[in-house]
Amino acid sequence: MTTLRFVLLAVLLFAGPLQAQTPASAEPSGHPYFVLSDRYVDGCRIAALLPDRSDIVILTPEFASAKDPAVSFDGETILFAGKKNKEDSWSLWRMDRDGSNKRILPTGLRDCVSPLYVGALFHLNDPAPADRIVFVSADHGWRNENGLGAAYSLYV
């Protein structure tokens, strides 16, 4: 049953605006090139349709915006990019699969988005494998090749 719940949670977990229109705070870049920051607007939520309920449960109601959920391999935790307040920078967060126990991940960077669980790293002298996540950030301030937006870098 645990595997079934994990599969359902992983398949039915989604993030996106609750309204069809773009929030007033988001202005399209107006250029033909894709800019990653165009995806990150206020008003997004992470929700789940759990197998024992018939309604959708909002897992991040206290956030100004939350996106990019990534379910852990065991189905117990979810990584996501979130902003508690509109003026906050995008940060990485982790929560339990039911939306409880939310905690910010200390990356030392601002504007962190697109977190993803990757395989654990294990060296011969390690007592146990070390979990790894990958994410992107534009905290360094570089511009992309077109000069039209931030250049995002990959971090582990």
Side-chain angles (χ1 to χ4, degrees):
M1 187 65 169
T2 303
T3 303
L4 176 62
R5 285 184 178 209
F6 164 70
V7 170
L8 287 174
L9 182 63
V11 170
L12 298 174
L13 193 66
F14 67 92
L18 294 177
Q19 300 171 344
Q21 69 263 25
T22 303
S25 63
E27 297 201 7
S29 56
H31 51 74
Y33 303 103
F34 172 75
V35 177
L36 186 62
S37 58
D38 286 349
R39 291 186 55 226
Y40 295 93
V41 296
D42 292 335
C44 299
R45 302 285 183 263
I46 298 175
L49 179 58
L50 304 175
D52 56 341
R53 296 185 59 161
S54 62
D55 57 333
I56 293 174
V57 178
I58 303 296
L59 300 177
T60 56
E62 69 276 22
F63 282 76
S65 195
K67 288 191 74 145
D68 295 339
V71 179
S72 64
F73 296 114
D74 63 3
E76 296 298 319
T77 60
I78 302 168
L79 291 175
F80 65 97
K83 292 174 24 172
K84 279 280 212 167
N85 303 301
K86 287 181 100 170
E87 62 276 357
D88 291 347
S89 172
W90 286 97
S91 299
L92 300 184
W93 292 79
R94 181 181 311 192
M95 67 179 160
D96 292 341
R97 67 180 177 189
D98 62 358
S100 64
N101 200 21
K102 293 177 185 78
R103 54 206 177 275
I104 195 166
L105 300 179
T107 63
L109 299 168
R110 297 174 38 88
D111 296 321
C112 298
V113 294
S114 299
L116 183 64
Y117 284 101
V118 294
L121 182 64
F122 188 76
H123 298 285
L124 292 177
N125 59 349
D126 288 342
D131 291 332
R132 298 283 186 222
I133 64 169
V134 173
F135 63 95
V136 297
S137 175
D139 192 39
H140 45 66
W142 300 332
R143 305 296 288 170
N144 67 15
E145 63 274 11
N146 302 312
L148 299 173
Y152 284 83
S153 297
L154 191 62
Y155 293 87
V156 177

Short mmCIF file of all heavy atoms in Angstrom, two decimals, residues 7-62:
data_model
loop_
_atom_site.label_atom_id
_atom_site.label_comp_id
_atom_site.label_asym_id
_atom_site.label_seq_id
_atom_site.Cartn_x
_atom_site.Cartn_y
_atom_site.Cartn_z
N VAL A 7 3.31 6.22 -5.49
CA VAL A 7 3.08 6.38 -6.93
C VAL A 7 1.98 7.41 -7.17
O VAL A 7 2.11 8.30 -7.99
CB VAL A 7 2.74 5.02 -7.59
CG1 VAL A 7 2.26 5.22 -9.01
CG2 VAL A 7 3.95 4.12 -7.56
N LEU A 8 0.88 7.31 -6.43
CA LEU A 8 -0.21 8.26 -6.59
C LEU A 8 0.23 9.67 -6.24
O LEU A 8 -0.08 10.61 -6.95
CB LEU A 8 -1.41 7.85 -5.75
CG LEU A 8 -2.17 6.63 -6.27
CD1 LEU A 8 -3.25 6.23 -5.29
CD2 LEU A 8 -2.76 6.92 -7.63
N LEU A 9 0.98 9.81 -5.14
CA LEU A 9 1.44 11.13 -4.75
C LEU A 9 2.40 11.68 -5.79
O LEU A 9 2.30 12.84 -6.18
CB LEU A 9 2.12 11.08 -3.38
CG LEU A 9 2.63 12.41 -2.83
CD1 LEU A 9 1.46 13.36 -2.61
CD2 LEU A 9 3.38 12.20 -1.55
N ALA A 10 3.30 10.85 -6.28
CA ALA A 10 4.27 11.32 -7.27
C ALA A 10 3.58 11.71 -8.57
O ALA A 10 3.93 12.70 -9.20
CB ALA A 10 5.31 10.24 -7.54
N VAL A 11 2.58 10.95 -8.98
CA VAL A 11 1.89 11.23 -10.24
C VAL A 11 0.95 12.42 -10.10
O VAL A 11 0.84 13.25 -11.00
CB VAL A 11 1.11 9.99 -10.71
CG1 VAL A 11 0.20 10.32 -11.86
CG2 VAL A 11 2.08 8.89 -11.10
N LEU A 12 0.28 12.54 -8.98
CA LEU A 12 -0.75 13.56 -8.84
C LEU A 12 -0.27 14.87 -8.23
O LEU A 12 -1.03 15.80 -8.12
CB LEU A 12 -1.91 13.00 -8.01
CG LEU A 12 -2.59 11.78 -8.66
CD1 LEU A 12 -3.62 11.20 -7.72
CD2 LEU A 12 -3.22 12.17 -9.97
N LEU A 13 0.96 14.93 -7.82
CA LEU A 13 1.50 16.15 -7.25
C LEU A 13 1.74 17.14 -8.38
O LEU A 13 2.28 16.80 -9.42
CB LEU A 13 2.83 15.84 -6.56
CG LEU A 13 3.39 16.91 -5.64
CD1 LEU A 13 2.48 17.11 -4.45
CD2 LEU A 13 4.75 16.48 -5.17
N PHE A 14 1.30 18.36 -8.20
CA PHE A 14 1.51 19.34 -9.26
C PHE A 14 1.74 20.71 -8.66
O PHE A 14 1.47 20.95 -7.50
CB PHE A 14 0.32 19.38 -10.21
CG PHE A 14 -0.94 19.91 -9.57
CD1 PHE A 14 -1.25 21.24 -9.62
CD2 PHE A 14 -1.81 19.05 -8.91
CE1 PHE A 14 -2.40 21.72 -9.03
CE2 PHE A 14 -2.96 19.52 -8.32
CZ PHE A 14 -3.25 20.87 -8.38
N ALA A 15 2.25 21.61 -9.48
CA ALA A 15 2.43 23.00 -9.07
C ALA A 15 2.00 23.88 -10.22
O ALA A 15 2.27 23.57 -11.37
CB ALA A 15 3.89 23.27 -8.73
N GLY A 16 1.36 24.95 -9.90
CA GLY A 16 0.94 25.89 -10.94
C GLY A 16 0.02 26.92 -10.35
O GLY A 16 -0.46 26.78 -9.23
N PRO A 17 -0.23 27.97 -11.08
CA PRO A 17 -1.11 29.00 -10.58
C PRO A 17 -2.51 28.44 -10.33
O PRO A 17 -2.98 27.58 -11.08
CB PRO A 17 -1.14 30.04 -11.71
CG PRO A 17 0.07 29.76 -12.53
CD PRO A 17 0.34 28.30 -12.37
N LEU A 18 -3.16 28.92 -9.28
CA LEU A 18 -4.51 28.50 -8.98
C LEU A 18 -5.50 29.18 -9.92
O LEU A 18 -6.62 28.75 -10.06
CB LEU A 18 -4.86 28.82 -7.53
CG LEU A 18 -4.06 28.03 -6.50
CD1 LEU A 18 -4.41 28.47 -5.10
CD2 LEU A 18 -4.30 26.55 -6.65
N GLN A 19 -5.09 30.28 -10.55
CA GLN A 19 -5.94 30.97 -11.49
C GLN A 19 -5.35 30.83 -12.88
O GLN A 19 -4.14 30.70 -13.05
CB GLN A 19 -6.03 32.45 -11.13
CG GLN A 19 -6.58 32.67 -9.73
CD GLN A 19 -6.44 34.11 -9.32
OE1 GLN A 19 -5.69 34.86 -9.91
NE2 GLN A 19 -7.17 34.50 -8.30
N ALA A 20 -6.19 30.90 -13.89
CA ALA A 20 -5.73 30.73 -15.26
C ALA A 20 -4.91 31.91 -15.75
O ALA A 20 -4.00 31.76 -16.53
CB ALA A 20 -6.91 30.50 -16.19
N GLN A 21 -5.23 33.13 -15.27
CA GLN A 21 -4.49 34.28 -15.76
C GLN A 21 -3.18 34.46 -15.02
O GLN A 21 -3.01 33.99 -13.91
CB GLN A 21 -5.34 35.56 -15.68
CG GLN A 21 -5.60 36.01 -14.25
CD GLN A 21 -6.93 35.55 -13.72
OE1 GLN A 21 -7.48 34.56 -14.17
NE2 GLN A 21 -7.45 36.23 -12.75
N THR A 22 -2.24 35.16 -15.66
CA THR A 22 -0.95 35.44 -15.06
C THR A 22 -1.14 36.51 -13.99
O THR A 22 -1.84 37.49 -14.21
CB THR A 22 0.03 35.96 -16.14
OG1 THR A 22 0.10 34.97 -17.15
CG2 THR A 22 1.39 36.22 -15.56
N PRO A 23 -0.53 36.36 -12.81
CA PRO A 23 -0.66 37.37 -11.77
C PRO A 23 -0.14 38.73 -12.27
O PRO A 23 0.74 38.80 -13.12
CB PRO A 23 0.23 36.85 -10.63
CG PRO A 23 0.39 35.39 -10.93
CD PRO A 23 0.26 35.23 -12.39
N ALA A 24 -0.71 39.80 -11.71
CA ALA A 24 -0.34 41.15 -12.15
C ALA A 24 1.13 41.44 -11.92
O ALA A 24 1.72 42.25 -12.63
CB ALA A 24 -1.21 42.17 -11.42
N SER A 25 1.74 40.76 -10.93
CA SER A 25 3.14 41.03 -10.62
C SER A 25 4.09 40.43 -11.65
O SER A 25 5.26 40.76 -11.67
CB SER A 25 3.49 40.48 -9.24
OG SER A 25 3.33 39.08 -9.24
N ALA A 26 3.60 39.54 -12.49
CA ALA A 26 4.47 38.89 -13.47
C ALA A 26 4.36 39.60 -14.81
O ALA A 26 3.30 39.69 -15.38
CB ALA A 26 4.08 37.43 -13.64
N GLU A 27 5.45 40.11 -15.28
CA GLU A 27 5.47 40.75 -16.58
C GLU A 27 6.26 39.88 -17.53
O GLU A 27 7.41 39.55 -17.27
CB GLU A 27 6.09 42.14 -16.47
CG GLU A 27 5.30 43.05 -15.58
CD GLU A 27 5.59 44.50 -15.86
OE1 GLU A 27 6.31 44.79 -16.82
OE2 GLU A 27 5.11 45.32 -15.10
N PRO A 28 5.66 39.49 -18.66
CA PRO A 28 6.40 38.66 -19.60
C PRO A 28 7.63 39.39 -20.12
O PRO A 28 7.64 40.61 -20.23
CB PRO A 28 5.40 38.39 -20.72
CG PRO A 28 4.20 39.20 -20.44
CD PRO A 28 4.33 39.81 -19.08
N SER A 29 8.64 38.64 -20.42
CA SER A 29 9.90 39.24 -20.83
C SER A 29 9.81 39.93 -22.19
O SER A 29 10.59 40.81 -22.48
CB SER A 29 11.00 38.19 -20.84
OG SER A 29 10.62 37.12 -21.68
N GLY A 30 8.88 39.52 -23.04
CA GLY A 30 8.68 40.17 -24.31
C GLY A 30 9.77 39.90 -25.34
O GLY A 30 9.94 40.64 -26.29
N HIS A 31 10.56 38.88 -25.16
CA HIS A 31 11.60 38.54 -26.12
C HIS A 31 11.40 37.11 -26.58
O HIS A 31 10.74 36.32 -25.93
CB HIS A 31 12.99 38.75 -25.52
CG HIS A 31 13.16 38.08 -24.19
ND1 HIS A 31 13.31 36.72 -24.07
CD2 HIS A 31 13.18 38.58 -22.94
CE1 HIS A 31 13.43 36.41 -22.79
NE2 HIS A 31 13.34 37.51 -22.09
N PRO A 32 11.98 36.74 -27.73
CA PRO A 32 11.74 35.41 -28.27
C PRO A 32 12.51 34.30 -27.58
O PRO A 32 12.32 33.14 -27.89
CB PRO A 32 12.21 35.55 -29.73
CG PRO A 32 13.23 36.63 -29.69
CD PRO A 32 12.78 37.58 -28.60
N TYR A 33 13.40 34.64 -26.65
CA TYR A 33 14.22 33.63 -25.99
C TYR A 33 13.60 33.23 -24.67
O TYR A 33 13.00 34.04 -23.97
CB TYR A 33 15.63 34.16 -25.74
CG TYR A 33 16.32 34.60 -26.99
CD1 TYR A 33 16.43 35.95 -27.30
CD2 TYR A 33 16.83 33.68 -27.89
CE1 TYR A 33 17.04 36.36 -28.46
CE2 TYR A 33 17.44 34.08 -29.06
CZ TYR A 33 17.55 35.42 -29.34
OH TYR A 33 18.14 35.83 -30.48
N PHE A 34 13.77 31.97 -24.32
CA PHE A 34 13.27 31.48 -23.03
C PHE A 34 14.16 32.01 -21.91
O PHE A 34 15.37 31.91 -21.97
CB PHE A 34 13.28 29.95 -23.03
CG PHE A 34 12.97 29.37 -21.68
CD1 PHE A 34 11.67 29.38 -21.19
CD2 PHE A 34 13.96 28.83 -20.89
CE1 PHE A 34 11.39 28.86 -19.95
CE2 PHE A 34 13.68 28.29 -19.65
CZ PHE A 34 12.39 28.31 -19.20
N VAL A 35 13.55 32.58 -20.91
CA VAL A 35 14.25 33.02 -19.72
C VAL A 35 13.65 32.27 -18.55
O VAL A 35 12.44 32.35 -18.32
CB VAL A 35 14.13 34.55 -19.52
CG1 VAL A 35 14.81 34.98 -18.24
CG2 VAL A 35 14.72 35.28 -20.72
N LEU A 36 14.47 31.53 -17.82
CA LEU A 36 13.99 30.69 -16.74
C LEU A 36 13.17 31.48 -15.72
O LEU A 36 12.17 30.99 -15.20
CB LEU A 36 15.17 29.99 -16.05
CG LEU A 36 14.82 28.96 -15.00
CD1 LEU A 36 14.03 27.82 -15.60
CD2 LEU A 36 16.08 28.43 -14.34
N SER A 37 13.56 32.70 -15.44
CA SER A 37 12.86 33.49 -14.43
C SER A 37 11.42 33.80 -14.82
O SER A 37 10.60 34.15 -13.98
CB SER A 37 13.62 34.78 -14.13
OG SER A 37 13.77 35.54 -15.31
N ASP A 38 11.06 33.68 -16.11
CA ASP A 38 9.68 33.90 -16.53
C ASP A 38 8.73 32.87 -15.91
O ASP A 38 7.54 33.11 -15.80
CB ASP A 38 9.55 33.82 -18.06
CG ASP A 38 10.11 35.05 -18.76
OD1 ASP A 38 10.42 36.04 -18.07
OD2 ASP A 38 10.27 35.00 -19.99
N ARG A 39 9.26 31.71 -15.55
CA ARG A 39 8.43 30.66 -14.95
C ARG A 39 8.11 30.92 -13.48
O ARG A 39 7.19 30.33 -12.94
CB ARG A 39 9.17 29.31 -15.00
CG ARG A 39 9.33 28.74 -16.36
CD ARG A 39 9.94 27.34 -16.30
NE ARG A 39 9.16 26.47 -15.44
CZ ARG A 39 9.69 25.68 -14.51
NH1 ARG A 39 10.98 25.62 -14.33
NH2 ARG A 39 8.92 24.91 -13.78
N TYR A 40 8.86 31.77 -12.83
CA TYR A 40 8.74 31.92 -11.38
C TYR A 40 7.98 33.19 -11.03
O TYR A 40 8.54 34.27 -10.95
CB TYR A 40 10.13 31.88 -10.74
CG TYR A 40 10.74 30.52 -10.94
CD1 TYR A 40 11.56 30.26 -12.03
CD2 TYR A 40 10.41 29.48 -10.10
CE1 TYR A 40 12.06 28.99 -12.25
CE2 TYR A 40 10.90 28.21 -10.31
CZ TYR A 40 11.72 27.98 -11.39
OH TYR A 40 12.20 26.71 -11.61
N VAL A 41 6.68 33.03 -10.84
CA VAL A 41 5.80 34.14 -10.54
C VAL A 41 5.12 33.87 -9.20
O VAL A 41 5.09 32.74 -8.72
CB VAL A 41 4.74 34.33 -11.65
CG1 VAL A 41 5.41 34.72 -12.97
CG2 VAL A 41 3.90 33.09 -11.83
N ASP A 42 4.57 34.91 -8.62
CA ASP A 42 3.87 34.76 -7.35
C ASP A 42 2.50 34.12 -7.56
O ASP A 42 1.90 34.22 -8.62
CB ASP A 42 3.72 36.12 -6.67
CG ASP A 42 5.04 36.68 -6.21
OD1 ASP A 42 5.96 35.88 -5.96
OD2 ASP A 42 5.16 37.91 -6.09
N GLY A 43 2.02 33.45 -6.52
CA GLY A 43 0.69 32.88 -6.54
C GLY A 43 0.62 31.40 -6.84
O GLY A 43 -0.47 30.83 -6.87
N CYS A 44 1.74 30.74 -7.07
CA CYS A 44 1.74 29.30 -7.35
C CYS A 44 1.67 28.52 -6.04
O CYS A 44 2.14 28.99 -5.01
CB CYS A 44 2.99 28.91 -8.13
SG CYS A 44 3.14 29.72 -9.71
N ARG A 45 1.10 27.35 -6.09
CA ARG A 45 0.98 26.49 -4.92
C ARG A 45 1.36 25.06 -5.31
O ARG A 45 1.26 24.68 -6.47
CB ARG A 45 -0.45 26.48 -4.38
CG ARG A 45 -0.98 27.83 -3.98
CD ARG A 45 -0.36 28.28 -2.66
NE ARG A 45 -0.92 29.56 -2.24
CZ ARG A 45 -0.35 30.72 -2.46
NH1 ARG A 45 0.79 30.80 -3.10
NH2 ARG A 45 -0.90 31.83 -2.04
N ILE A 46 1.71 24.27 -4.31
CA ILE A 46 1.93 22.84 -4.51
C ILE A 46 0.75 22.13 -3.84
O ILE A 46 0.40 22.43 -2.71
CB ILE A 46 3.26 22.38 -3.91
CG1 ILE A 46 4.41 23.11 -4.60
CG2 ILE A 46 3.42 20.87 -4.06
CD1 ILE A 46 5.76 22.84 -4.03
N ALA A 47 0.15 21.22 -4.59
CA ALA A 47 -1.04 20.53 -4.11
C ALA A 47 -0.89 19.04 -4.36
O ALA A 47 -0.05 18.61 -5.15
CB ALA A 47 -2.28 21.08 -4.81
N ALA A 48 -1.72 18.26 -3.68
CA ALA A 48 -1.70 16.81 -3.86
C ALA A 48 -3.13 16.29 -3.83
O ALA A 48 -3.99 16.83 -3.15
CB ALA A 48 -0.88 16.15 -2.76
N LEU A 49 -3.34 15.23 -4.58
CA LEU A 49 -4.59 14.49 -4.52
C LEU A 49 -4.23 13.16 -3.88
O LEU A 49 -3.61 12.30 -4.52
CB LEU A 49 -5.18 14.28 -5.91
CG LEU A 49 -6.47 13.50 -5.99
CD1 LEU A 49 -7.57 14.16 -5.15
CD2 LEU A 49 -6.93 13.37 -7.43
N LEU A 50 -4.55 13.01 -2.61
CA LEU A 50 -4.16 11.84 -1.85
C LEU A 50 -5.15 10.70 -2.06
O LEU A 50 -6.34 10.95 -2.27
CB LEU A 50 -4.04 12.20 -0.37
CG LEU A 50 -3.08 13.36 -0.07
CD1 LEU A 50 -3.13 13.74 1.39
CD2 LEU A 50 -1.67 13.00 -0.48
N PRO A 51 -4.70 9.45 -2.00
CA PRO A 51 -5.58 8.32 -2.29
C PRO A 51 -6.75 8.17 -1.31
O PRO A 51 -7.78 7.65 -1.68
CB PRO A 51 -4.66 7.11 -2.23
CG PRO A 51 -3.41 7.55 -1.61
CD PRO A 51 -3.34 9.03 -1.72
N ASP A 52 -6.62 8.64 -0.08
CA ASP A 52 -7.68 8.49 0.90
C ASP A 52 -8.61 9.70 0.97
O ASP A 52 -9.46 9.78 1.84
CB ASP A 52 -7.09 8.19 2.27
CG ASP A 52 -6.10 9.25 2.72
OD1 ASP A 52 -5.60 10.00 1.86
OD2 ASP A 52 -5.82 9.32 3.93
N ARG A 53 -8.45 10.66 0.03
CA ARG A 53 -9.31 11.84 0.01
C ARG A 53 -9.79 12.07 -1.42
O ARG A 53 -9.15 11.70 -2.38
CB ARG A 53 -8.54 13.08 0.48
CG ARG A 53 -8.10 12.97 1.93
CD ARG A 53 -7.46 14.21 2.40
NE ARG A 53 -8.35 15.36 2.27
CZ ARG A 53 -8.18 16.48 2.93
NH1 ARG A 53 -7.18 16.61 3.74
NH2 ARG A 53 -8.99 17.49 2.76
N SER A 54 -10.93 12.71 -1.54
CA SER A 54 -11.47 12.98 -2.87
C SER A 54 -11.20 14.42 -3.31
O SER A 54 -11.48 14.76 -4.45
CB SER A 54 -12.97 12.71 -2.89
OG SER A 54 -13.62 13.57 -1.98
N ASP A 55 -10.68 15.24 -2.42
CA ASP A 55 -10.42 16.63 -2.77
C ASP A 55 -8.92 16.90 -2.85
O ASP A 55 -8.11 16.12 -2.36
CB ASP A 55 -11.07 17.59 -1.77
CG ASP A 55 -10.61 17.34 -0.34
OD1 ASP A 55 -10.21 16.20 -0.03
OD2 ASP A 55 -10.63 18.27 0.47
N ILE A 56 -8.57 17.99 -3.47
CA ILE A 56 -7.17 18.40 -3.59
C ILE A 56 -6.73 19.09 -2.31
O ILE A 56 -7.47 19.93 -1.77
CB ILE A 56 -6.98 19.32 -4.80
CG1 ILE A 56 -7.24 18.54 -6.08
CG2 ILE A 56 -5.60 19.93 -4.82
CD1 ILE A 56 -7.23 19.37 -7.34
N VAL A 57 -5.56 18.75 -1.82
CA VAL A 57 -5.01 19.35 -0.61
C VAL A 57 -3.88 20.29 -1.00
O VAL A 57 -2.93 19.87 -1.67
CB VAL A 57 -4.46 18.25 0.34
CG1 VAL A 57 -3.85 18.86 1.58
CG2 VAL A 57 -5.55 17.26 0.68
N ILE A 58 -3.99 21.56 -0.61
CA ILE A 58 -2.92 22.52 -0.86
C ILE A 58 -1.86 22.29 0.22
O ILE A 58 -2.13 22.42 1.41
CB ILE A 58 -3.42 23.98 -0.80
CG1 ILE A 58 -4.56 24.19 -1.80
CG2 ILE A 58 -2.28 24.96 -1.05
CD1 ILE A 58 -4.17 24.02 -3.23
N LEU A 59 -0.64 21.94 -0.20
CA LEU A 59 0.43 21.64 0.75
C LEU A 59 1.22 22.87 1.18
O LEU A 59 1.95 22.82 2.16
CB LEU A 59 1.39 20.61 0.13
CG LEU A 59 0.78 19.26 -0.26
CD1 LEU A 59 1.82 18.38 -0.92
CD2 LEU A 59 0.17 18.58 0.94
N THR A 60 1.11 23.98 0.44
CA THR A 60 1.89 25.18 0.73
C THR A 60 1.01 26.43 0.84
O THR A 60 1.28 27.44 0.20
CB THR A 60 2.96 25.39 -0.37
OG1 THR A 60 2.29 25.46 -1.64
CG2 THR A 60 3.99 24.28 -0.37
N PRO A 61 -0.03 26.42 1.68
CA PRO A 61 -0.93 27.58 1.74
C PRO A 61 -0.28 28.82 2.34
O PRO A 61 -0.70 29.95 2.05
CB PRO A 61 -2.09 27.10 2.60
CG PRO A 61 -1.49 26.05 3.48
CD PRO A 61 -0.44 25.38 2.62
N GLU A 62 0.74 28.65 3.17
CA GLU A 62 1.36 29.79 3.85
C GLU A 62 2.45 30.48 3.03
O GLU A 62 3.07 31.42 3.48
CB GLU A 62 1.92 29.35 5.21
CG GLU A 62 3.13 28.44 5.13
CD GLU A 62 2.83 26.96 4.94
OE1 GLU A 62 1.74 26.59 4.46
OE2 GLU A 62 3.70 26.15 5.28
#
